[in-house]
Amino acid sequence: MSFWLVADSHTRAMIKSITLHSFGLTEIMVSFKSYNVFMYMWLLFVVLFEAVFCSVAYAVSWDDVTLNGYVSAEYEQSFGTDTLGDVNGSFDMDLVDLVFNFRPTDRLRIATDFTWEHGSASEDGRGNVAIEYAFAEYAIFGSTKVRVGKMFTHFGIYNEIHTAKPATLTVKEPLSTNKNNKLGSTIRFYPRWLNGVALVGATTGKRPFSYIIQVSNGDTLDEESNPYEEDNNSSKAINGRLLYQPLDGLQLGASYYMDTMRDSVLGHSVDIKSSGIQAEWELESGFGLEFEYVSGTEGYQARDIKRDAYTLMFYQRFNDRYTPYLRFETLDPDKKMEDDNASIIIWGVNILIDENMFVKLEVDDFSSGVNNVSLGGESYSEFKASLSIGF
Amino acid sequence: MFRSRMSIFKPHAFILALLMCSVNGYSSELLVNESSNTHEISAPKLKSILLGSTTAWGNGQHIALCFFSSDKPEIESMVRRYTGKNLRSFKRHWTKKIFSGNASSMPLFYKRESKAMLFVESKDGALCIGSPKDVSLPKSVLKLVIQ
């Protein structure tokens, strides 16, 4: 396959021609039953040739392959605390990520995203290597498509682009709505990834909407099970998202996720239900806002934990180069518990250096109630800078 | 290899296209590879294509989108008119789509007209937006009329 990808059109045509001739000669020679050394050698050549090159009939030419990706490097340093955040100040080789799209036919697409995070070195057990997604998508009619494989959970604004730093204004995705287990929750509102099937589609009217419905294994509570290989319970996760564009520049959305997560080791289960709304609005002047609200429950045998979170960001683009932003985030991990909230106020600027090359500078101010599991009532600030490049 | 514009297009379609451009106040044109088998397009359909919601022509041919130049005011005007986004937001929209796995390729922005013309000429399903200086179009390139 790799040979076929690098071969030029003339070489490919020549190989096809030789292969066809080979089949013809083989038939003729076999029919004459002239069993001599030359024929055995020729047959061997044909068999080897077939084994090596005939599989190329299913290969994708470079014209039908696209490669995109991004690189991100960061620096973080916290102050006002001795224990939380990055107290020493660190450079982080955040990630390098490659996105491949193969299109063997007009209807079929294979998409996959490989990521190498934090200077991955398997020999030293450092960093993380992962397939963010790997799925096949087939257009069944119009804009309606079916996907099968590992996918991002389509929920809210940020989950699908949480590693794609060139696609976001801020250094990190909102913790409150997207990574709430880092801000006081036991379990996230929804998992990062799902393995299953999905139906996606969109309308083409003046006020278009798009939708996705996913049915998957969901996630697990224990680290023994691999939900991308085998489900550890019979309950399937169901989620979906609807996006609607009532005005140019304004997009509204609603998401839902439900699953039963099981711990195979301890033998208990948790019911997860989350729902969210979102709005993205950008005026022609360059002023914009993003808003997302998520609420849900962690259902245990003893009781249900109700939680909610929101994120709200304002930004203003100047000359398409400088974009200062201000974001508020708040998470209430348990609505029945007092003083367990956590909040972040982020103010910073996103600077476009070159095409798809961004420098981001920001200060994140964290604060929390005394009963917050992650921050324990502490308040501190963290300076963050990043360079992100998309291609 | 090349034919004159008038021999390729019907006169009334060409005049209609010119009228549309003059009414809309920009001079960008929609050039499409003939494999798309498409001669007219509605504004909502064009918006859907520009935003990546529609990814195939009526005959199932995959759409490959390109622009003649990213810094021409006509392109900015065209994108703004049909998507409601400025060029920066438009590019950010596509960056999100490609990195989230919701698109297979980003629109290509060619600074050289010859390269863009070569792309729309040779790539099945290609749709290029721009203001070609060369009045003669390759045989395999058609001009789309916005309904």
Side-chain angles (χ1 to χ4, degrees), chain A residues 63 66 68-70 101 103 106 109 133 135 143 145 147 154 160 164 167 204 248 280 282 284 290 317 320 352 355, chain B residues 44 47-48 51 53-55 60-62 80 84 86 88-89 91-92 95-96 98-106 123:
Chain A
D63 289 344
T66 56
N68 296 93
Y70 44 93
N101 274 277
R103 191 170 278 286
D106 282 328
R109 176 167 74 103
Y133 56 79
F135 60 81
S143 297
K145 298 161 187 170
R147 283 182 193 167
H154 286 64
E160 297 141 82
T204 58
D248 285 342
E280 294 173 271
E282 185 170 305
E284 286 194 13
E290 290 178 358
R317 297 185 192 280
D320 283 343
L352 176 68
E355 189 66 30
Chain B
K47 178 180 181 176
S48 180
L51 294 178
S53 300
T54 295
T55 56
Q61 184 79 57
H62 178 67
R80 191 184 294 270
N86 62 36
R88 179 56 50 199
S89 299
K91 287 182 176 179
R92 188 176 168 222
T95 303
K96 282 183 178 179
I98 192 77
F99 292 148
S100 63
N102 289 313
S104 62
S105 58
M106 284 200 243
K123 180 72 175 174

CSV table of all heavy atoms in Angstrom, one decimal, chain A residues 63 66 68-70 101 103 106 109 133 135 143 145 147 154 160 164 167 204 248 280 282 284 290 317 320 352 355, chain B residues 44 47-48 51 53-55 60-62 80 84 86 88-89 91-92 95-96 98-106 123:
chain,number,residue,atom,x,y,z
A,63,ASP,N,-4.2,11.5,-3.8
A,63,ASP,CA,-5.2,12.6,-4.1
A,63,ASP,C,-6.4,12.4,-3.1
A,63,ASP,O,-7.1,13.4,-2.9
A,63,ASP,CB,-5.7,12.4,-5.5
A,63,ASP,CG,-4.7,12.8,-6.5
A,63,ASP,OD1,-3.7,13.5,-6.1
A,63,ASP,OD2,-4.8,12.4,-7.7
A,66,THR,N,-5.8,13.3,3.0
A,66,THR,CA,-5.4,14.6,3.5
A,66,THR,C,-4.7,14.4,4.9
A,66,THR,O,-5.1,13.5,5.6
A,66,THR,CB,-6.6,15.5,3.6
A,66,THR,OG1,-7.6,15.0,4.5
A,66,THR,CG2,-7.2,15.9,2.3
A,68,ASN,N,-3.6,16.7,8.2
A,68,ASN,CA,-3.6,17.9,8.9
A,68,ASN,C,-3.0,17.6,10.3
A,68,ASN,O,-2.7,16.5,10.6
A,68,ASN,CB,-5.0,18.5,9.1
A,68,ASN,CG,-5.6,18.9,7.8
A,68,ASN,OD1,-6.3,18.1,7.1
A,68,ASN,ND2,-5.3,20.1,7.3
A,69,GLY,N,-2.8,18.7,11.1
A,69,GLY,CA,-2.3,18.4,12.4
A,69,GLY,C,-2.0,19.7,13.1
A,69,GLY,O,-2.3,20.8,12.6
A,70,TYR,N,-1.4,19.6,14.3
A,70,TYR,CA,-1.1,20.7,15.1
A,70,TYR,C,0.0,20.4,16.2
A,70,TYR,O,0.1,19.2,16.5
A,70,TYR,CB,-2.3,21.3,15.8
A,70,TYR,CG,-3.3,20.4,16.4
A,70,TYR,CD1,-3.2,20.0,17.8
A,70,TYR,CD2,-4.3,19.8,15.7
A,70,TYR,CE1,-4.1,19.2,18.4
A,70,TYR,CE2,-5.2,18.9,16.3
A,70,TYR,CZ,-5.1,18.6,17.6
A,70,TYR,OH,-5.9,17.7,18.2
A,101,ASN,N,-7.2,11.8,6.9
A,101,ASN,CA,-8.5,11.5,6.3
A,101,ASN,C,-8.2,10.7,5.0
A,101,ASN,O,-7.5,11.2,4.1
A,101,ASN,CB,-9.3,12.8,6.0
A,101,ASN,CG,-10.1,13.2,7.3
A,101,ASN,OD1,-11.2,12.7,7.5
A,101,ASN,ND2,-9.5,14.1,8.0
A,103,ARG,N,-10.2,8.9,1.8
A,103,ARG,CA,-11.5,8.9,1.1
A,103,ARG,C,-11.4,7.9,-0.1
A,103,ARG,O,-11.2,8.3,-1.2
A,103,ARG,CB,-11.8,10.3,0.6
A,103,ARG,CG,-13.2,10.5,0.1
A,103,ARG,CD,-13.6,11.9,-0.1
A,103,ARG,NE,-13.9,12.6,1.1
A,103,ARG,CZ,-15.1,12.4,1.8
A,103,ARG,NH1,-16.0,11.6,1.3
A,103,ARG,NH2,-15.3,13.1,2.9
A,106,ASP,N,-16.4,8.3,-2.9
A,106,ASP,CA,-17.0,9.6,-2.6
A,106,ASP,C,-17.9,9.5,-1.4
A,106,ASP,O,-18.1,10.5,-0.7
A,106,ASP,CB,-17.9,10.0,-3.8
A,106,ASP,CG,-17.1,10.6,-4.9
A,106,ASP,OD1,-16.1,11.2,-4.6
A,106,ASP,OD2,-17.5,10.4,-6.1
A,109,ARG,N,-15.4,7.7,4.1
A,109,ARG,CA,-14.3,8.4,4.7
A,109,ARG,C,-13.8,7.6,5.9
A,109,ARG,O,-14.6,7.2,6.7
A,109,ARG,CB,-14.8,9.8,5.1
A,109,ARG,CG,-13.7,10.6,5.8
A,109,ARG,CD,-14.1,12.1,5.9
A,109,ARG,NE,-15.1,12.3,6.9
A,109,ARG,CZ,-14.8,12.8,8.2
A,109,ARG,NH1,-13.6,13.1,8.5
A,109,ARG,NH2,-15.8,13.0,9.0
A,133,TYR,N,-9.4,9.6,17.8
A,133,TYR,CA,-10.5,9.0,17.1
A,133,TYR,C,-10.1,8.2,15.9
A,133,TYR,O,-9.0,8.5,15.3
A,133,TYR,CB,-11.6,10.0,16.7
A,133,TYR,CG,-11.2,11.2,15.8
A,133,TYR,CD1,-11.0,11.0,14.5
A,133,TYR,CD2,-10.9,12.4,16.3
A,133,TYR,CE1,-10.6,12.0,13.6
A,133,TYR,CE2,-10.5,13.5,15.5
A,133,TYR,CZ,-10.3,13.3,14.2
A,133,TYR,OH,-9.9,14.3,13.4
A,135,PHE,N,-12.5,6.3,13.0
A,135,PHE,CA,-13.8,5.8,12.6
A,135,PHE,C,-14.0,5.8,11.1
A,135,PHE,O,-13.2,6.5,10.3
A,135,PHE,CB,-14.9,6.6,13.2
A,135,PHE,CG,-14.9,8.1,12.8
A,135,PHE,CD1,-15.5,8.5,11.7
A,135,PHE,CD2,-14.4,9.1,13.7
A,135,PHE,CE1,-15.4,9.9,11.3
A,135,PHE,CE2,-14.4,10.4,13.4
A,135,PHE,CZ,-14.9,10.8,12.2
A,143,SER,N,-27.0,14.5,3.2
A,143,SER,CA,-26.0,14.8,4.2
A,143,SER,C,-26.0,13.9,5.4
A,143,SER,O,-25.3,14.1,6.4
A,143,SER,CB,-26.2,16.3,4.8
A,143,SER,OG,-26.1,17.2,3.7
A,145,LYS,N,-25.1,10.6,7.4
A,145,LYS,CA,-24.0,9.7,7.4
A,145,LYS,C,-24.0,8.8,8.6
A,145,LYS,O,-24.5,9.2,9.7
A,145,LYS,CB,-22.6,10.5,7.4
A,145,LYS,CG,-22.5,11.4,6.1
A,145,LYS,CD,-21.5,12.4,6.3
A,145,LYS,CE,-21.4,13.4,5.1
A,145,LYS,NZ,-20.6,14.6,5.4
A,147,ARG,N,-21.5,6.7,11.2
A,147,ARG,CA,-20.1,6.5,11.6
A,147,ARG,C,-19.9,5.2,12.5
A,147,ARG,O,-20.8,5.0,13.3
A,147,ARG,CB,-19.6,7.7,12.5
A,147,ARG,CG,-19.3,8.9,11.6
A,147,ARG,CD,-18.7,10.0,12.5
A,147,ARG,NE,-18.7,11.3,11.8
A,147,ARG,CZ,-18.6,12.5,12.3
A,147,ARG,NH1,-18.4,12.5,13.6
A,147,ARG,NH2,-18.6,13.5,11.6
A,154,HIS,N,-19.8,13.8,21.4
A,154,HIS,CA,-20.3,15.1,20.9
A,154,HIS,C,-21.2,15.7,21.9
A,154,HIS,O,-22.4,15.4,22.0
A,154,HIS,CB,-21.0,14.9,19.5
A,154,HIS,CG,-20.1,14.6,18.4
A,154,HIS,ND1,-19.3,13.5,18.4
A,154,HIS,CD2,-19.8,15.3,17.3
A,154,HIS,CE1,-18.5,13.5,17.3
A,154,HIS,NE2,-18.8,14.6,16.6
A,160,GLU,N,-14.8,18.1,21.5
A,160,GLU,CA,-14.2,17.6,20.2
A,160,GLU,C,-12.9,18.3,19.9
A,160,GLU,O,-12.1,17.8,19.0
A,160,GLU,CB,-15.2,17.7,19.1
A,160,GLU,CG,-16.4,16.8,19.3
A,160,GLU,CD,-17.6,17.6,18.8
A,160,GLU,OE1,-17.9,17.6,17.6
A,160,GLU,OE2,-18.3,18.2,19.6
A,164,ALA,N,-7.1,20.4,20.3
A,164,ALA,CA,-6.8,21.2,19.1
A,164,ALA,C,-6.6,22.7,19.5
A,164,ALA,O,-7.5,23.5,19.3
A,164,ALA,CB,-8.0,21.1,18.1
A,167,ALA,N,-7.6,25.8,17.5
A,167,ALA,CA,-9.0,26.1,17.3
A,167,ALA,C,-9.6,26.8,18.4
A,167,ALA,O,-10.8,27.1,18.4
A,167,ALA,CB,-9.7,24.7,17.0
A,204,THR,N,-30.0,22.0,4.9
A,204,THR,CA,-29.4,23.0,4.1
A,204,THR,C,-30.2,24.3,3.9
A,204,THR,O,-30.0,25.0,3.1
A,204,THR,CB,-29.0,22.5,2.7
A,204,THR,OG1,-30.3,22.0,2.1
A,204,THR,CG2,-28.1,21.3,2.8
A,248,ASP,N,-27.1,34.6,11.3
A,248,ASP,CA,-25.7,34.5,10.9
A,248,ASP,C,-24.9,34.9,12.1
A,248,ASP,O,-25.1,35.9,12.7
A,248,ASP,CB,-25.4,35.4,9.7
A,248,ASP,CG,-26.0,34.8,8.4
A,248,ASP,OD1,-26.3,33.6,8.4
A,248,ASP,OD2,-26.2,35.6,7.5
A,280,GLU,N,-22.9,30.2,20.8
A,280,GLU,CA,-21.8,30.8,20.3
A,280,GLU,C,-22.2,32.0,19.4
A,280,GLU,O,-23.0,31.8,18.4
A,280,GLU,CB,-20.9,29.9,19.5
A,280,GLU,CG,-20.3,28.7,20.3
A,280,GLU,CD,-19.6,27.7,19.4
A,280,GLU,OE1,-20.3,26.8,19.0
A,280,GLU,OE2,-18.4,27.8,19.1
A,282,GLU,N,-21.0,35.6,17.4
A,282,GLU,CA,-19.9,36.5,17.0
A,282,GLU,C,-20.5,37.6,16.0
A,282,GLU,O,-21.1,37.2,15.0
A,282,GLU,CB,-18.7,35.8,16.3
A,282,GLU,CG,-17.6,36.8,16.0
A,282,GLU,CD,-16.3,36.0,15.6
A,282,GLU,OE1,-15.9,35.1,16.3
A,282,GLU,OE2,-15.8,36.3,14.5
A,284,GLU,N,-20.2,41.0,13.4
A,284,GLU,CA,-19.2,41.3,12.3
A,284,GLU,C,-18.1,42.2,12.9
A,284,GLU,O,-17.0,42.3,12.3
A,284,GLU,CB,-20.0,42.0,11.2
A,284,GLU,CG,-20.8,41.1,10.4
A,284,GLU,CD,-21.2,41.7,9.1
A,284,GLU,OE1,-20.7,42.7,8.7
A,284,GLU,OE2,-22.1,41.1,8.4
A,290,GLU,N,-19.2,33.1,24.1
A,290,GLU,CA,-19.5,31.7,24.2
A,290,GLU,C,-20.1,31.4,25.5
A,290,GLU,O,-19.5,31.9,26.6
A,290,GLU,CB,-18.2,30.8,24.0
A,290,GLU,CG,-17.6,30.9,22.6
A,290,GLU,CD,-16.3,30.1,22.5
A,290,GLU,OE1,-15.9,29.5,23.6
A,290,GLU,OE2,-15.7,30.0,21.4
A,317,ARG,N,-12.1,40.7,18.7
A,317,ARG,CA,-11.0,40.6,17.7
A,317,ARG,C,-10.6,42.0,17.2
A,317,ARG,O,-11.5,42.8,16.9
A,317,ARG,CB,-11.4,39.7,16.5
A,317,ARG,CG,-11.8,38.3,16.8
A,317,ARG,CD,-12.1,37.5,15.6
A,317,ARG,NE,-12.7,36.2,15.9
A,317,ARG,CZ,-12.0,35.2,16.3
A,317,ARG,NH1,-10.7,35.3,16.4
A,317,ARG,NH2,-12.6,34.1,16.6
A,320,ASP,N,-8.0,41.2,13.3
A,320,ASP,CA,-7.9,39.7,13.1
A,320,ASP,C,-6.5,39.2,13.7
A,320,ASP,O,-6.1,38.1,13.4
A,320,ASP,CB,-7.9,39.4,11.6
A,320,ASP,CG,-9.3,39.4,11.1
A,320,ASP,OD1,-10.2,39.4,11.9
A,320,ASP,OD2,-9.5,39.5,9.8
A,352,LEU,N,-2.4,36.3,16.8
A,352,LEU,CA,-2.1,35.5,15.5
A,352,LEU,C,-0.8,36.0,15.0
A,352,LEU,O,-0.6,37.2,14.6
A,352,LEU,CB,-3.2,35.8,14.5
A,352,LEU,CG,-3.0,35.2,13.1
A,352,LEU,CD1,-3.1,33.7,13.2
A,352,LEU,CD2,-4.0,35.8,12.1
A,355,GLU,N,-0.1,32.6,9.7
A,355,GLU,CA,-1.3,31.8,9.3
A,355,GLU,C,-1.3,30.5,10.2
A,355,GLU,O,-0.4,29.7,10.2
A,355,GLU,CB,-1.2,31.4,7.9
A,355,GLU,CG,-2.5,30.7,7.4
A,355,GLU,CD,-3.7,31.7,7.3
A,355,GLU,OE1,-3.5,32.9,7.2
A,355,GLU,OE2,-4.8,31.2,7.5
B,44,PRO,N,-28.8,29.1,0.0
B,44,PRO,CA,-28.7,28.2,1.2
B,44,PRO,C,-27.8,27.0,1.0
B,44,PRO,O,-27.0,26.6,1.9
B,44,PRO,CB,-30.1,27.8,1.5
B,44,PRO,CG,-31.0,28.8,0.9
B,44,PRO,CD,-30.3,29.3,-0.3
B,47,LYS,N,-24.2,28.2,1.1
B,47,LYS,CA,-23.9,28.4,2.5
B,47,LYS,C,-23.5,27.1,3.2
B,47,LYS,O,-22.5,27.0,3.9
B,47,LYS,CB,-25.0,29.1,3.3
B,47,LYS,CG,-24.8,29.3,4.7
B,47,LYS,CD,-25.9,30.0,5.4
B,47,LYS,CE,-25.6,30.2,6.9
B,47,LYS,NZ,-26.7,30.9,7.6
B,48,SER,N,-24.4,26.1,2.9
B,48,SER,CA,-24.1,24.8,3.5
B,48,SER,C,-22.8,24.2,3.0
B,48,SER,O,-22.1,23.5,3.8
B,48,SER,CB,-25.3,23.9,3.1
B,48,SER,OG,-25.2,22.6,3.7
B,51,LEU,N,-19.9,26.1,4.6
B,51,LEU,CA,-19.7,25.8,6.1
B,51,LEU,C,-19.4,24.3,6.3
B,51,LEU,O,-19.3,23.8,7.4
B,51,LEU,CB,-20.9,26.2,6.9
B,51,LEU,CG,-21.1,27.7,6.9
B,51,LEU,CD1,-22.4,28.1,7.7
B,51,LEU,CD2,-19.9,28.4,7.6
B,53,SER,N,-21.4,21.7,5.8
B,53,SER,CA,-22.5,20.8,6.1
B,53,SER,C,-22.9,19.9,5.0
B,53,SER,O,-23.2,18.7,5.1
B,53,SER,CB,-23.8,21.6,6.6
B,53,SER,OG,-23.4,22.4,7.7
B,54,THR,N,-22.9,20.5,3.8
B,54,THR,CA,-23.1,19.7,2.6
B,54,THR,C,-21.7,19.3,2.0
B,54,THR,O,-20.9,20.2,1.7
B,54,THR,CB,-23.9,20.5,1.5
B,54,THR,OG1,-25.2,20.7,2.0
B,54,THR,CG2,-24.0,19.7,0.2
B,55,THR,N,-21.4,18.0,1.8
B,55,THR,CA,-20.1,17.6,1.4
B,55,THR,C,-20.1,16.9,0.1
B,55,THR,O,-19.0,16.5,-0.4
B,55,THR,CB,-19.5,16.7,2.5
B,55,THR,OG1,-20.4,15.6,2.6
B,55,THR,CG2,-19.3,17.4,3.8
B,60,GLY,N,-23.5,12.8,-5.9
B,60,GLY,CA,-22.7,12.0,-4.9
B,60,GLY,C,-21.2,12.3,-5.0
B,60,GLY,O,-20.5,11.9,-4.1
B,61,GLN,N,-20.8,13.2,-5.9
B,61,GLN,CA,-19.4,13.5,-6.0
B,61,GLN,C,-19.0,14.4,-4.8
B,61,GLN,O,-19.7,15.3,-4.5
B,61,GLN,CB,-19.2,14.3,-7.3
B,61,GLN,CG,-17.7,14.7,-7.6
B,61,GLN,CD,-16.9,13.6,-8.2
B,61,GLN,OE1,-17.3,13.0,-9.2
B,61,GLN,NE2,-15.9,13.2,-7.5
B,62,HIS,N,-17.9,14.0,-4.2
B,62,HIS,CA,-17.4,14.8,-3.0
B,62,HIS,C,-17.0,16.2,-3.4
B,62,HIS,O,-16.3,16.4,-4.5
B,62,HIS,CB,-16.2,14.0,-2.4
B,62,HIS,CG,-15.6,14.7,-1.2
B,62,HIS,ND1,-16.3,14.9,-0.1
B,62,HIS,CD2,-14.4,15.3,-1.0
B,62,HIS,CE1,-15.6,15.6,0.8
B,62,HIS,NE2,-14.4,15.9,0.2
B,80,ARG,N,-18.5,36.5,3.7
B,80,ARG,CA,-19.3,37.2,4.7
B,80,ARG,C,-20.8,37.1,4.2
B,80,ARG,O,-21.7,36.9,5.1
B,80,ARG,CB,-18.9,38.7,4.8
B,80,ARG,CG,-19.5,39.4,6.0
B,80,ARG,CD,-19.1,40.8,6.0
B,80,ARG,NE,-17.7,41.0,6.2
B,80,ARG,CZ,-17.2,41.2,7.4
B,80,ARG,NH1,-17.9,41.2,8.5
B,80,ARG,NH2,-15.9,41.4,7.6
B,84,GLY,N,-22.1,34.7,6.7
B,84,GLY,CA,-22.2,35.5,7.9
B,84,GLY,C,-21.0,35.6,8.8
B,84,GLY,O,-21.0,36.1,9.9
B,86,ASN,N,-16.7,36.6,9.1
B,86,ASN,CA,-15.5,37.2,8.4
B,86,ASN,C,-14.5,36.0,8.1
B,86,ASN,O,-14.7,34.9,8.6
B,86,ASN,CB,-14.9,38.3,9.2
B,86,ASN,CG,-14.4,37.8,10.6
B,86,ASN,OD1,-13.9,36.7,10.7
B,86,ASN,ND2,-14.6,38.6,11.6
B,88,ARG,N,-11.5,35.4,9.1
B,88,ARG,CA,-10.9,34.8,10.3
B,88,ARG,C,-11.8,33.7,11.0
B,88,ARG,O,-11.4,32.6,11.3
B,88,ARG,CB,-10.4,35.9,11.2
B,88,ARG,CG,-9.7,35.4,12.5
B,88,ARG,CD,-8.5,34.5,12.2
B,88,ARG,NE,-7.6,35.1,11.3
B,88,ARG,CZ,-6.7,34.4,10.6
B,88,ARG,NH1,-6.6,33.1,10.8
B,88,ARG,NH2,-5.9,35.0,9.7
B,89,SER,N,-13.0,34.1,11.2
B,89,SER,CA,-14.0,33.2,11.8
B,89,SER,C,-14.3,32.0,10.9
B,89,SER,O,-14.5,30.9,11.4
B,89,SER,CB,-15.3,34.0,12.1
B,89,SER,OG,-15.1,35.0,12.9
B,91,LYS,N,-12.2,30.7,8.8
B,91,LYS,CA,-11.1,29.7,8.9
B,91,LYS,C,-11.1,29.0,10.2
B,91,LYS,O,-10.8,27.8,10.3
B,91,LYS,CB,-9.7,30.5,8.7
B,91,LYS,CG,-9.5,30.9,7.3
B,91,LYS,CD,-8.2,31.6,7.2
B,91,LYS,CE,-7.9,32.0,5.7
B,91,LYS,NZ,-6.6,32.7,5.5
B,92,ARG,N,-11.5,29.7,11.3
B,92,ARG,CA,-11.5,29.1,12.6
B,92,ARG,C,-12.6,28.0,12.6
B,92,ARG,O,-12.5,26.9,13.2
B,92,ARG,CB,-11.8,30.1,13.7
B,92,ARG,CG,-11.7,29.6,15.1
B,92,ARG,CD,-11.9,30.7,16.1
B,92,ARG,NE,-12.1,30.1,17.5
B,92,ARG,CZ,-13.0,30.5,18.3
B,92,ARG,NH1,-13.8,31.5,18.1
B,92,ARG,NH2,-13.1,29.9,19.5
B,95,THR,N,-11.1,25.1,11.0
B,95,THR,CA,-10.1,24.5,11.8
B,95,THR,C,-10.8,23.6,12.9
B,95,THR,O,-10.3,22.4,13.1
B,95,THR,CB,-9.3,25.6,12.6
B,95,THR,OG1,-8.7,26.4,11.6
B,95,THR,CG2,-8.2,25.0,13.4
B,96,LYS,N,-11.9,24.0,13.4
B,96,LYS,CA,-12.6,23.2,14.4
B,96,LYS,C,-13.2,22.0,13.7
B,96,LYS,O,-13.1,20.9,14.3
B,96,LYS,CB,-13.8,24.0,14.9
B,96,LYS,CG,-13.5,25.0,16.0
B,96,LYS,CD,-14.7,25.7,16.5
B,96,LYS,CE,-14.5,26.7,17.6
B,96,LYS,NZ,-15.7,27.3,18.1
B,98,ILE,N,-12.2,20.3,11.0
B,98,ILE,CA,-11.2,19.3,10.6
B,98,ILE,C,-10.6,18.6,11.8
B,98,ILE,O,-10.4,17.4,11.9
B,98,ILE,CB,-10.1,19.9,9.7
B,98,ILE,CG1,-9.2,18.8,9.1
B,98,ILE,CG2,-9.2,20.9,10.5
B,98,ILE,CD1,-9.9,18.2,8.0
B,99,PHE,N,-10.3,19.4,12.9
B,99,PHE,CA,-9.6,18.8,14.1
B,99,PHE,C,-10.6,18.0,14.9
B,99,PHE,O,-10.2,17.1,15.7
B,99,PHE,CB,-8.9,19.8,14.9
B,99,PHE,CG,-7.7,20.4,14.2
B,99,PHE,CD1,-7.4,21.7,14.4
B,99,PHE,CD2,-7.0,19.7,13.3
B,99,PHE,CE1,-6.3,22.3,13.7
B,99,PHE,CE2,-5.9,20.2,12.6
B,99,PHE,CZ,-5.5,21.5,12.8
B,100,SER,N,-11.9,18.2,14.8
B,100,SER,CA,-12.9,17.5,15.6
B,100,SER,C,-13.3,16.2,14.8
B,100,SER,O,-14.1,15.4,15.3
B,100,SER,CB,-14.1,18.3,15.9
B,100,SER,OG,-14.7,18.7,14.7
B,101,GLY,N,-12.8,16.0,13.6
B,101,GLY,CA,-13.2,14.9,12.8
B,101,GLY,C,-14.4,15.0,12.0
B,101,GLY,O,-14.9,14.0,11.5
B,102,ASN,N,-14.9,16.2,11.9
B,102,ASN,CA,-16.2,16.5,11.2
B,102,ASN,C,-16.0,17.0,9.8
B,102,ASN,O,-17.0,17.4,9.2
B,102,ASN,CB,-17.0,17.5,12.0
B,102,ASN,CG,-17.6,16.9,13.3
B,102,ASN,OD1,-18.1,15.7,13.3
B,102,ASN,ND2,-17.4,17.6,14.4
B,103,ALA,N,-14.8,16.9,9.3
B,103,ALA,CA,-14.6,17.3,7.9
B,103,ALA,C,-13.3,16.6,7.5
B,103,ALA,O,-12.4,16.2,8.3
B,103,ALA,CB,-14.4,18.8,7.7
B,104,SER,N,-13.2,16.3,6.2
B,104,SER,CA,-12.1,15.5,5.7
B,104,SER,C,-10.9,16.4,5.2
B,104,SER,O,-9.8,16.0,5.2
B,104,SER,CB,-12.5,14.6,4.6
B,104,SER,OG,-13.0,15.3,3.5
B,105,SER,N,-11.3,17.7,4.8
B,105,SER,CA,-10.2,18.6,4.4
B,105,SER,C,-10.7,20.0,4.5
B,105,SER,O,-11.8,20.3,4.3
B,105,SER,CB,-9.8,18.3,2.9
B,105,SER,OG,-11.0,18.4,2.1
B,106,MET,N,-9.7,20.9,4.7
B,106,MET,CA,-10.0,22.3,4.8
B,106,MET,C,-10.1,22.9,3.4
B,106,MET,O,-9.4,22.4,2.5
B,106,MET,CB,-8.9,23.0,5.6
B,106,MET,CG,-9.1,22.7,7.1
B,106,MET,SD,-8.2,24.0,8.0
B,106,MET,CE,-7.0,23.0,8.9
B,123,LYS,N,-9.3,18.4,-10.3
B,123,LYS,CA,-9.9,17.7,-9.1
B,123,LYS,C,-11.4,17.4,-9.3
B,123,LYS,O,-12.2,18.4,-9.4
B,123,LYS,CB,-9.7,18.5,-7.9
B,123,LYS,CG,-10.2,17.9,-6.6
B,123,LYS,CD,-9.4,16.7,-6.1
B,123,LYS,CE,-9.9,16.2,-4.8
B,123,LYS,NZ,-9.3,14.9,-4.4
